[in-house]
Amino acid sequence: MSDNPRSESVVSVRDLWRTYRRPRTSLFGPRPEVHALRGVSFDVARGSRFGIVGESGSGKSTLVRLLAGLDRPSAGEISFDGRRIDTLPERRLGFLRSRLQVVFQDPMGSLDPRMRVRDIISEPLGRQPGRFERVRELLEAVDLPADAGRRYPHQFSGGQRQRISIARALAPRPGVLVADEPVSALDVLVRAQILDLLADLVERYALTMVFVSHDLAVVRHVCDTVAVMRQGEIVEQGPVRDVYGEPRHPYTRELIAAAPSLSAALSGPEEG
Amino acid sequence: MARTVNLVAGAVLVGLVVLVALVSFAWTPHDPLLVDASLRLSGPTAEYVLGTDRFGRDVASQLMVGARTTLYVGVVAVGIAALAGTPLGIVAGMRGGWLDELIMRVNDLVLAFPALLLAIMLGAVYGASTLTAMVAIGVATVPSFARVARAGTLQVMSTEYVLAARAGGRSRAWIAGRHVLPNISGLVLVQSSVSFAIAVLAEAALSFLGFGTAPPTPSWGRMLQESQELLAVEPRLALIPGAAIALAVLGFNLLGDGLRDRFDPRLEVRR
């Protein structure tokens, strides 16, 4: 690869906009527009754990799709390892696919109910020979029994399904893992286990992680850097210690004041 | 459970029709085509369980062989419709944009065109036969498959597992074959069963009008047609094939409903 492997930031986002057009509400006049992202900029340093926190509707999911090259920005730039990805057609994003992977939110919806677990996990590898060998390694890495590969997703609990999802994301040996609300659909005990697993894997495989969540306590627990999003904009970003210790933006202060402590978040109920 | 009643009842009725059709290859009580003037319009007897028609042919034997025609027409017509309509619907749903518009508007055109009229036109041009009936019914049924497949495809394409497949670098063809097709197969199966019922009815209607199966091949629709002049004298000849058509249509409809319940995606999650 021609990229500079020593560059400080793996993912670099500059002035990113994404505008959705709604269907016409009247025959005349323009179609209404929704600005999901309004000029977002940030850099994810190699080896860091970058948290993106915001309420639902703040543009987090849109951002995840753009980072993974699953959608195109309306304006702005996204670079991965110094290479622009927002201008490439999907079939030329092969380099990105093997180096950046996503763990999705819904542990049921992100696994095809009609596929066996080994086919799900090996999917990013295509028809590569030796892919089932790799599946065996991955099942072990995420603490699932070796015979899990022959079974179907509905035979597993929510936490186990999220382990399957994580194993799939790790299959092509990515350097960057984007986790989109990976624990918000899980119950409390399982949530802590999955967070621990993610932390372990990030450590073991020297991953860079982009962790998206609406939950400040979880982000504080997992990440070293954080960006706070509100209505499509980043209102504040910096090291977790600084942002949580001395929040500068009123919205951040409000969020932190409203959030329960980590122990409360890990034991209390929560809305999706 | 109540929802399995449909499935079982439908399967039994359909199974009965299939069984009768299969048995008719090996055995019928009499030769269904054998004309015997001395036996004209005989009522049910021990030897002729359902009696004979105005040419003295055995009604029971004709009914059995007619089941073959019915199934044959249904299978071919539904086959044409499913093989053409499902891929069209998947392409429309996956590609979207102008191609989607084009496919679905042509679909609407075909849908707006009466199937019977199409069959009569084909029959007028190529000579009425079982084949023209099957092709006409098949072509007319393509839109319903395209619609069902497109709706299912849109649903599958909005799932996170398709996003994950794209993020994993998989091609459209892979996604269509590995994710879309397996996940809409239930919907397509349900549509097949329902369309089969419609095809049976359409074949009977066409044969009744003289644009379907040509004599002397027995067909339920033709049996009905031949009975009409004698309706007042011998209603039995109309009631028997009529009941057979009604039961077969009911069977396929019940089977379709039962399968729909079985494949309901909302139930899938809780399985």
Side-chain angles (χ1 to χ4, degrees), chain B residues 59 63 219-221 223-224 227 235-246:
Chain B
V59 172
L63 203 66
S219 135
W220 294 349
M223 289 169 74
L224 263 184
S227 74
R236 170 180 54 90
L237 291 179
L239 289 176
I240 289 169
I245 293 167

Side-chain angles (χ1 to χ4, degrees), chain A residues 169-249:
Chain A
L170 294 177
R173 303 178 199 275
V176 178
L177 195 64
V178 178
D180 183 8
E181 302 260 16
V183 295
S184 56
L186 303 176
D187 60 45
V188 176
L189 274 175
V190 179
R191 177 174 303 190
Q193 291 167 8
I194 296 294
L195 288 176
D196 286 346
L197 175 69
L198 276 174
D200 276 359
L201 294 169
V202 164
E203 190 85 7
R204 189 180 335 167
Y205 300 115
L207 299 173
T208 305
M209 181 158 72
V210 178
F211 188 95
V212 178
S213 180
H214 65 279
D215 190 327
L216 278 97
V218 168
V219 168
R220 178 182 215 165
H221 179 62
V222 173
C223 302
D224 49 37
T225 315
V226 64
V228 181
M229 282 190 77
R230 182 201 192 186
Q231 291 171 10
E233 288 173 306
I234 291 182
V235 296
E236 183 163 1
Q237 58 180 316
V240 162
R241 194 182 302 259
D242 298 356
V243 173
Y244 282 75
E246 297 170 49
R248 269 168 297 164
H249 194 277

